[in-house]
Amino acid sequence: MSHHLTESVRAEAADVRRFWEGLGLPGLVDVHTHFMPERVLRKVWAYFDALGPLTGGVEWPITYRQEERERAELLREFGVVAFTAMLYPHKPGMARWLNDWAVDFARRTPGCLHTSTLFPEPGAEGLVRDAVEAGARVFKVHVQVGAYDPADTLLDGAWGVLAEAGVPVVIHCGSGPAPGKYTGPEPIARVLARHPRLRLVVAHLGMPEYEDFLDLAERYPEVRLDTTMAFTDFAERMVPFPRRALPRLAGLGDRILLGTDFPNIPYPYLHQLQALERLGLGPAWLRAVCHDNAARLFGLRGNESGNGNGRGRGNGAVG
């Protein structure tokens, strides 16, 4: 382990590894981690520090402010065998240069699933097609920050490309931590009505509209949900998951994926794992959520590093 990492971080890494080793897993797959150009990430952190409106006015100390290389190394020390670089534009013209950055980041970062993004603008379909052909294995869409309707006709062709390619899309479309004009289940339900095979991964279990997004997952077999921040003490204080819906979560056990929001979380990484464990849904559910479901979705082979160099449309498409 690098000498850059502190003793407390080393101790946490050991605890995280004990968690997945105890489940008999080869490691974790985390579908919701943020890596982006440093100046963009610093602006995101400044926004959290200033309690910007989209934080819901809640204090949000960032736990992992290390340099990029150390953050990626820390995920490897945790035993995260594959992770994403969730990046997103907030205005036209940004998506292409973010995608260009992401190509290089995936190439130089072992374990990173090559991540791309999009925005409703002329040429969106071509941009998405270019990214898929360059080997993108997952897309990130942030309806809240981008402040756009995901059912905008400018995106219709892009959704079609992604549905046909079988490339998953992690989408923040719930109204937490603060609602936006186009957040909530209705806009994304319109997208799914037109593109029912689209592999959407609803971030944060759709908080706070948990049950509405469980409805969509039960209606569309390619819809999945990630666990990002859900069930943690931090989230439960603000938007508790309704306990009556736990059996539905168990029933969708093959379509729930581990996500954490690393590094932008106000608590240790380990806490997300412990929060899932204390739900009491059992070790088989935890194994599926923490590794197997995402490994199947992304076509990971064994301890594949996920360096994003695989090309073309078949990436991650199974079944």
Side-chain angles (χ1 to χ4, degrees):
M1 187 182 289
S2 165
H3 64 277
H4 295 296
L5 301 178
T6 66
E7 284 303 315
S8 63
V9 167
R10 290 165 194 254
E12 186 189 6
D15 287 340
V16 171
R17 296 182 83 92
R18 271 194 288 275
F19 172 88
W20 56 258
E21 286 168 353
L23 290 169
L25 290 174
L28 303 170
V29 181
D30 189 339
V31 303
H32 196 133
T33 62
H34 291 282
F35 288 88
M36 52 187 75
E38 280 296 283
R39 64 190 176 91
V40 178
L41 186 61
R42 301 287 162 183
K43 286 181 180 176
V44 170
W45 288 352
Y47 190 90
F48 281 114
D49 291 345
L51 304 186
L54 297 185
T55 68
V58 177
E59 280 208 33
W60 200 301
I62 306 291
T63 301
Y64 301 98
R65 289 191 193 247
Q66 293 95 329
E67 293 299 311
E68 177 187 281
R69 183 176 55 81
E70 288 180 44
R71 292 195 308 274
E73 181 187 352
L74 181 52
L75 285 178
R76 289 191 289 276
E77 292 298 335
F78 285 164
V80 180
V81 294
F83 56 91
T84 57
M86 298 277 103
L87 71 183
Y88 45 86
H90 60 270
K91 59 186 178 184
M94 254 183 106
R96 188 170 292 279
W97 71 261
L98 286 173
N99 288 354
D100 289 346
W101 177 88
V103 170
D104 180 62
F105 180 75
R107 190 177 292 129
R108 61 186 162 84
T109 308
C112 180
L113 294 164
H114 175 175
T115 311
S116 292
T117 190
L118 53 75
F119 196 81
E121 55 191 319
E125 179 180 349
L127 181 143
V128 166
R129 195 178 298 281
D130 289 348
V132 170
E133 289 176 356
R137 300 176 75 175
V138 60
F139 273 68
K140 165 66 173 180
V141 172
H142 206 314
V143 171
Q144 184 203 41
V145 169
Y148 58 79
D149 185 347
D152 190 314
T153 53
L154 284 167
L155 286 176
D156 203 44
W159 295 132
V161 169
L162 290 167
E164 186 175 332
V167 174
V169 180
V170 177
I171 181 165
H172 185 138
C173 49
S175 299
K181 186 175 179 182
Y182 300 106
T183 59
E186 293 83 8
I188 208 62
R190 294 200 303 275
V191 173
L192 286 164
R194 292 208 294 267
H195 304 281
R197 291 169 50 237
L198 189 60
R199 288 184 161 166
L200 285 185
V201 180
V202 176
H204 306 279
L205 287 180
M207 82 174 55
E209 296 105 340
Y210 299 110
E211 291 175 286
D212 293 324
F213 284 104
L214 287 171
D215 288 345
L216 285 177
E218 287 164 352
R219 194 178 318 153
Y220 294 99
E222 289 294 355
V223 170
R224 295 158 173 86
L225 304 104
D226 83 30
T227 65
T228 304
M229 299 193 80
F231 314 112
T232 63
D233 295 346
F234 184 79
E236 287 290 292
R237 280 195 299 272
M238 296 185 291
V239 280
F241 184 89
R243 287 305 181 256
R244 65 176 175 265
L246 277 177
R248 300 175 70 189
L249 202 67
L252 287 166
D254 61 339
R255 286 191 280 138
I256 310 296
L257 310 175
L258 174 66
T260 63
D261 241 347
F262 175 93
N264 304 337
I265 45 177
Y267 44 76
Y269 191 92
L270 180 66
H271 179 55
Q272 177 74 73
L273 304 174
Q274 293 170 330
L276 295 174
E277 185 174 41
R278 70 190 181 190
L279 293 175
L281 296 179
W285 186 86
L286 284 173
R287 279 193 290 273
V289 169
C290 292
H291 177 275
D292 296 349
N293 294 342
R296 188 170 63 250
L297 178 63
F298 292 106
L300 303 182
R301 295 169 296 282
N303 261 14
E304 185 207 345
S305 66
N307 63 12
N309 289 336
R311 293 181 58 83
R313 294 170 180 280
N315 269 339
V318 287

